[in-house]
Amino acid sequence: MAKQPKQTMSRALQRREDIAGYLFMLPSLIFFLGFVIIPMFMCIGMSFTDANLNAKTATTFVGLTNFINLWQDAVFLDALKNTFLLVVVTVPAVTLFSLWVSSAIYKMKMPVLSTFRCIFYLPVVTGSVAVTVVWKWIFDNYTGILNTALKGMGLIEKNINWLGTDGIAIWCIILIMFTTYVGQPIVLYVSALGNVDQGLVEAAQVDGATDLQVFWKIKWPQIMPTTLYIVVITTINTFQCFALIQLLTEGGSGTNTVMFYIYRMAFKLTEQGGHFGYANAMGVVLAIFIAILSAIQFKLGEEK
Amino acid sequence: MKRSKLVSLLLAGSMLLGLAACGGGSTTTPAPAESKAAEPAQSQAAEPAADTEITLWTYPIGNWGVEAEVNKLMDQFKADTGITVKVEYLAYADGDDKVNAALSAKSAPDLIMEGPERLVANWGAAGHMVDLSDMIDDTDKKEINAACLTACTTADGKVYEYPVVMTAHCMAINKQAFEAADALQYVDLENHTWTTENFIKAVEALSVKFDDVGAVYCKGQGGDQGTRALVNNLYGGTFTNAEHTAYTWDDPLNIKALEQLKSMKGINFDASLAGGDEIAKFYQGALQMAFCWNIAQQLNPNAANTGAEKTVTGDDIVFMSFPSENGESKLQGGIWGFGIFDNGDQAKIDAAKTFIKYFADSEHTVDAVKTANYFAARSAAEGTDLSGIWADNEIMNEYNKLMPYLGDYYQVTKGWAQARTEWWTMLQEVGKGADVGTVVAQYAGNANAAAK
């Protein structure tokens, strides 16, 4: 008999805590629902319509027409190819470089380590517009420092139009993405490597393991969750690359990406019938690609 | 626990309020019953409530893009009418995106200042603009430049833009660079004209002294009126037909012009520059001629406030018409004025009409025109003569020599946004060395598909 009130009290307390917890989550949940979940479903729904800006025409359901048209749209296919090139080059480059730098600096004394972390993290905290403007000056066809330096060294005779030439511009974009993306992975890797169990490392060394063996057998498995996070986040960011393209090339010179084409289709080519629906279909396709690639990365990470 | 619940409730409440605020939109004063009555069929705006607040989004049309200058006009307007105008300044790079996003979110401004290619051919055609034909009476029709009024009017007689200012877009040369290359002999400085033959000779002479003479910029649509005018005028090609129903830039004369430009040493087809970038390069002295120019640039090159008609190094800038075979070119017109978005609030529409009447058809039109640094789109406004308002400005007077060359305002052709994209993409392809005839046919074909 004496136990019953105690249980009731406990359940009431639990309920109160639950309610408080949910209320704390509510603001974020509202934003998440309002700005992520609902727009996501709106995007999916609209991708099956010919929605556009024209107030005179009614939106009609067109089924899979937008998705079928995508695969016959040369601009979209070109944008898709460019997007995959960015991902295929940038993600491994960022991951490997940041791992290499972190391995080299994580054992350094704190002031030196902090200095390195600041240097590599600087492009991350600097606004992307500011970074892009600086790179635009560097790559400028007429007065850019890169052309001036190369000409000064006698390496080129005529200026190279870095951002205006097919086959070059996309690599300039990749270079800029690389410099802006490595900061966070380096900080994460430094932290992950610092948390590797030193007991295991020392035991392996006592047993005669080489540096490579120590890294591959001891450190690599322990930093795998960090690697997985870095790979997935870099992949998503690269797929969604927009500001660089918008500010540097406007999608020209072979740098059009799916994300930029979505923006153009939605907000520039507004006279085109069903442009909102078509842009949303592209968004859905992009999301599917990101989801598939992320799932593969998670699977590979799991197996490791 | 109680405190934490209270805090959560407060947080949730504030977020909800925030969301509601983000929703924006139509929480406006209900329209007075009488204002919903039929519009008067005369050049008068309906009387709005004096305390109405309206929003104006303006592109950088001369000093209409400069807050300090616009504030003076808005303060005066408020003092005279009691209507408050909140102004937002758009850039050409992303202004359309902002407007389109606002339209799709049903939060468009009440007023917008730009040209007929946007207000009439795009947003008007899509049913977002208010018909202003009731504001234009017979006197207005006589006073407003006929070509301007035509461009602002749809085929079925709806006026989606009330024109305020106009100009002719032109090109510019660096006088000292031309002197240094002994190329001034090819230019008629008195009339600001030159022939295609002399243009070719001038570029040849300049290319001996300078690596980069001019740029057929094609990074995007910004300033593309310059490249269109250059190509069309060289051998007399056209961009659209006279009826504005089809794009005709695939004619052999334009192909010949593009082939000529592509073959010229010193002329770069540059996909890293848009019109604004080209102006900056010309101003900095990296290019010796600019194809993206007009009177506003002549008065304040590169908007840098370093002196009229001068580059950053102090060289003289001479504005020129585009080269053509007989020296008489057809210049691309620029028309700017006000349009009203139909947001369903009659009180705001009436207030916006009062605004337009005030700045486009009254004694205050002088201020609106002078702020824009262009020419008035009408000869007089409610008794105020506008023909001589620039009499005291030597540069404006000189620039008047180009106005007779004002050509067809073809930017109202259907599918204009798509056609512009096709144009600069085509120029990029030409720059890469693709066969000119093939790419011109392909991209003009794409533009015509959008025009149907």
Side-chain angles (χ1 to χ4, degrees):
Chain A
M1 284 299 282
K3 234 178 172 181
Q4 191 61 28
K6 246 187 182 177
Q7 275 178 348
T8 311
M9 284 288 286
S10 172
R11 269 205 295 275
L13 190 65
Q14 185 64 46
R15 197 183 313 120
R16 275 212 295 270
E17 281 186 356
D18 287 349
I19 290 168
Y22 284 122
L23 282 174
F24 271 114
M25 279 196 293
L26 192 62
S28 305
L29 193 66
I30 290 168
F31 267 94
F32 188 65
L33 281 171
F35 293 103
V36 179
I37 300 297
I38 293 171
M40 204 170 80
F41 280 104
M42 283 169 71
C43 172
I44 294 168
M46 220 181 264
S47 68
F48 297 105
T49 70
D50 64 352
N52 60 58
L53 200 65
N54 197 328
K56 291 176 180 170
T57 57
T59 299
T60 53
F61 180 77
V62 294
L64 292 172
T65 308
N66 287 331
F67 294 93
I68 294 163
N69 289 343
L70 276 179
W71 304 106
Q72 290 149 8
D73 182 347
V75 180
F76 173 74
L77 295 177
D78 187 51
L80 196 62
K81 187 193 80 186
N82 292 333
T83 306
F84 272 102
L85 176 66
L86 291 179
V87 172
V88 166
V89 177
T90 307
V91 176
V94 165
T95 311
L96 291 173
F97 180 80
S98 52
L99 181 58
W100 174 61
V101 170
S102 311
S103 302
I105 65 171
Y106 84 102
K107 279 184 179 168
M108 288 178 175
K109 286 180 182 165
M110 192 46 80
V112 185
L113 180 61
S114 295
T115 306
F116 273 115
R117 278 200 287 214
C118 280
I119 291 168
F120 285 112
Y121 209 70
L122 209 56
V124 181
V125 292
T126 311
S128 59
V129 174
V131 170
T132 311
V133 167
V134 172
W135 278 104
K136 202 173 173 183
W137 288 340
I138 292 171
F139 286 130
D140 191 287
N141 185 19
Y142 301 90
T143 51
I145 194 168
L146 188 57
N147 275 333
T148 308
L150 291 175
K151 272 170 104 173
M153 287 187 282
L155 294 173
I156 57 170
E157 280 183 16
K158 280 192 73 178
N159 284 351
I160 295 173
N161 194 350
W162 300 99
L163 296 172
T165 309
D166 265 33
I168 296 179
I170 190 104
W171 292 99
C172 294
I173 299 284
I174 288 171
L175 177 66
I176 302 169
M177 283 171 83
F178 176 80
T179 59
T180 51
Y181 284 5
V182 290
Q184 197 173 24
I186 287 173
V187 171
L188 291 171
Y189 267 137
V190 165
S191 170
L193 287 166
N195 288 332
V196 167
D197 189 339
Q198 285 305 304
L200 286 175
V201 173
E202 282 162 17
Q205 283 168 340
V206 168
D207 289 343
T210 62
D211 282 352
L212 186 65
Q213 284 172 323
V214 168
F215 176 80
W216 194 242
K217 301 284 183 187
I218 309 292
K219 292 179 182 173
W220 179 247
Q222 291 192 52
I223 61 170
M224 190 42 131
T226 306
T227 304
L228 188 60
Y229 174 79
I230 288 167
V231 168
V232 170
I233 289 298
T234 311
T235 303
I236 293 170
N237 288 342
T238 312
F239 262 117
Q240 296 185 342
C241 170
F242 172 77
L244 280 182
I245 307 288
Q246 159 79 343
L247 294 167
L248 288 176
T249 63
E250 294 187 25
S253 310
T255 61
N256 198 12
T257 58
V258 175
M259 200 66 195
F260 189 73
Y261 191 38
I262 290 172
Y263 153 77
R264 278 196 65 79
M265 183 55 66
F267 296 113
K268 293 274 187 204
L269 305 177
T270 51
E271 291 167 326
Q272 192 165 312
H275 64 98
F276 276 146
Y278 195 63
N280 277 299
M282 277 191 261
V284 170
V285 169
L286 186 68
I288 291 170
F289 277 123
I290 292 174
I292 292 171
L293 218 58
S294 300
I296 292 170
Q297 287 163 352
F298 271 112
K299 193 71 191 162
L300 290 175
E302 230 173 58
E303 281 168 7
K304 280 277 176 189
Chain B
M1 183 57 66
K2 271 184 183 174
R3 190 186 299 160
S4 60
K5 247 198 254 181
L6 189 67
V7 172
S8 343
L9 277 170
L10 277 172
L11 275 170
S14 66
M15 292 298 178
L16 275 171
L17 275 175
L19 272 178
C22 286
S26 55
T27 52
T28 50
T29 320
E34 60 271 23
S35 71
K36 286 183 179 165
E39 298 295 329
Q42 54 178 310
S43 173
Q44 295 291 326
E47 271 307 311
D51 58 350
T52 310
E53 182 179 292
I54 53 174
T55 50
L56 163 70
W57 287 11
T58 176
Y59 284 76
I61 298 149
N63 284 339
W64 275 91
V66 179
E67 191 173 356
E69 296 296 321
V70 176
N71 280 350
K72 289 181 206 163
L73 299 178
M74 297 307 117
D75 291 346
Q76 184 63 44
F77 176 67
K78 187 175 180 183
D80 290 348
T81 64
I83 298 168
T84 306
V85 185
K86 282 176 72 178
V87 186
E88 188 164 322
Y89 300 88
L90 303 174
Y92 277 106
D94 62 355
D96 293 359
D97 314 347
K98 285 183 180 170
V99 176
N100 290 332
L103 283 170
S104 60
K106 304 205 183 305
S107 58
D110 302 300
L111 275 159
I112 182 116
M113 186 181 195
E114 226 298 298
E117 64 271 30
R118 290 179 173 86
L119 274 58
V120 180
N122 193 344
W123 300 318
H128 295 292
M129 308 299 294
V130 172
D131 179 13
L132 305 174
S133 54
D134 59 297
M135 293 187 71
I136 295 172
D137 60 18
D138 290 342
T139 310
D140 295 318
K141 283 176 187 167
K142 281 180 198 156
E143 289 170 351
I144 297 172
N145 177 287
C148 281
L149 192 55
T150 304
C152 296
T153 310
T154 62
D156 58 351
K158 291 192 171 69
V159 178
Y160 289 133
E161 173 173 336
Y162 201 114
V164 179
V165 289
M166 56 186 272
T167 193
H169 292 293
C170 63
M171 60 175 291
I173 61 170
N174 181 318
K175 193 177 176 188
Q176 274 67 39
F178 270 62
E179 270 171 356
D182 195 24
L184 269 185
Q185 57 179 311
Y186 304 119
V187 176
D188 181 350
L189 286 176
E190 175 64 27
N191 295 308
H192 300 271
T193 58
W194 48 353
T195 63
T196 300
E197 189 186 350
N198 280 339
F199 168 73
I200 294 168
K201 284 179 184 167
V203 172
E204 270 173 14
L206 285 155
S207 67
V208 174
K209 285 200 83 78
F210 304 97
D211 284 342
D212 305 299
V213 178
V216 180
Y217 48 90
C218 46
K219 178 184 170 189
Q221 67 181 36
D224 56 357
Q225 73 277 354
T227 53
R228 291 196 309 268
L230 174 68
V231 172
N232 289 162
N233 276 303
L234 269 188
Y235 295 108
T238 56
F239 201 78
T240 70
N241 60 8
E243 299 78 32
H244 304 149
T245 54
Y247 294 95
T248 55
W249 83 65
D250 54 348
D251 78 42
L253 297 173
N254 287 334
I255 293 171
K256 186 180 173 187
L258 284 165
E259 284 170 341
Q260 174 62 43
L261 289 166
K262 185 73 182 79
S263 69
M264 292 168 78
K265 189 170 174 249
I267 298 290
N268 314 324
F269 278 69
D270 195 334
S272 70
L273 300 181
D277 306 318
E278 189 235 20
I279 289 170
K281 292 295 163 211
F282 173 69
Y283 173 74
Q284 291 160 6
L287 294 171
Q288 313 317 317
M289 55 178 71
F291 301 125
C292 185
W293 206 255
N294 61 33
I295 184 62
Q297 287 298 329
Q298 191 69 14
L299 292 167
N300 185 12
N302 202 31
N305 299 318
T306 50
E309 302 191 293
K310 297 282 182 195
T311 67
V312 70
T313 53
D315 287 352
D316 295 315
I317 295 171
V318 180
F319 62 82
M320 295 292 298
S321 68
F322 285 93
S324 66
E325 284 188 303
N326 63 3
E328 290 188 1
S329 54
K330 287 176 181 164
L331 299 181
Q332 177 78 80
I335 300 169
W336 296 275
F338 299 110
I340 301 175
F341 281 111
D342 187 357
N343 291 328
D345 186 334
Q346 192 58 46
K348 294 209 172 200
I349 290 173
D350 290 342
K353 283 186 175 177
T354 302
F355 178 95
I356 291 178
K357 179 75 185 163
Y358 186 90
F359 284 113
D361 185 20
S362 78
E363 62 192 292
H364 305 286
T365 307
V366 176
D367 303 326
V369 172
K370 286 207 157 186
T371 300
N373 274 338
Y374 291 122
F375 299 98
R378 60 193 303 154
S379 56
E382 295 291 330
T384 305
D385 180 26
L386 300 174
S387 57
I389 59 173
W390 292 113
D392 58 341
N393 189 314
E394 202 178 304
I395 299 170
M396 292 293 279
N397 271 327
E398 185 71 7
Y399 200 87
N400 241 329
K401 288 179 177 174
L402 293 187
M403 295 309 278
Y405 299 121
L406 203 57
D408 178 29
Y409 198 87
Y410 55 71
Q411 295 98 307
V412 289
T413 307
K414 196 179 172 201
W416 181 246
Q418 180 77 41
R420 294 181 83 181
T421 300
E422 300 299 334
W423 175 256
W424 61 260
T425 315
M426 182 199 74
L427 292 179
Q428 287 194 357
E429 292 299 319
V430 172
K432 286 179 207 167
D435 177 67
V436 177
T438 309
V439 293
V440 167
Q442 180 192 340
Y443 287 95
N446 293 347
N448 276 320
K452 283 175 186 163

